[in-house]
Amino acid sequence: MVNKKYGYDTFALALRVCTAIDEGVRSIVLIHGTDTMEDSAWLTDLLLGQLRREACSVVFTGAMRFSDDNSADGPDNLVVRFWSQNRTDYR
């Protein structure tokens, strides 16, 4: 799935996640724009399969507010994602 508007290939992203897991990565946080995050997360989950899902935690995160907004949510979302990746009781 090539997203021509934003210039990236969702399928290539999903395959890179699978390759990283196959190479031994056990925790992945993807910072993604919210406009197409659902599509990328869905395709990635579809391609992962049960074994990769059990071997690695994959999390997509993004922000809905602009970075110069008084209550920008991007930095907090990122902190929570990295924090949650190290906690088995949070999943």
Side-chain angles (χ1 to χ4, degrees), residues 56-87:
C56 180
S57 175
V58 178
V59 175
F60 283 77
T61 190
M64 293 301 294
R65 298 183 192 116
F66 293 109
S67 60
D68 61 351
D69 192 307
N70 288 337
S71 59
D73 58 339
D76 287 339
N77 292 347
L78 193 55
V79 167
V80 169
R81 289 305 119 218
F82 279 110
W83 174 79
S84 68
Q85 288 296 85
N86 295 317
R87 297 190 46 137

Side-chain angles (χ1 to χ4, degrees), residues 2-10 32-37:
V2 176
N3 186 321
K4 294 182 188 214
K5 180 177 178 183
Y6 299 103
Y8 68 89
D9 187 338
T10 305
H32 199 294
T34 55
D35 51 347
T36 58
M37 186 187 311

Side-chain angles (χ1 to χ4, degrees), residues 38-52:
E38 181 181 6
D39 299 333
S40 297
W42 175 80
L43 183 60
T44 301
D45 186 56
L46 187 66
L47 294 177
L48 285 179
Q50 188 65 30
L51 292 176
R52 287 188 188 109

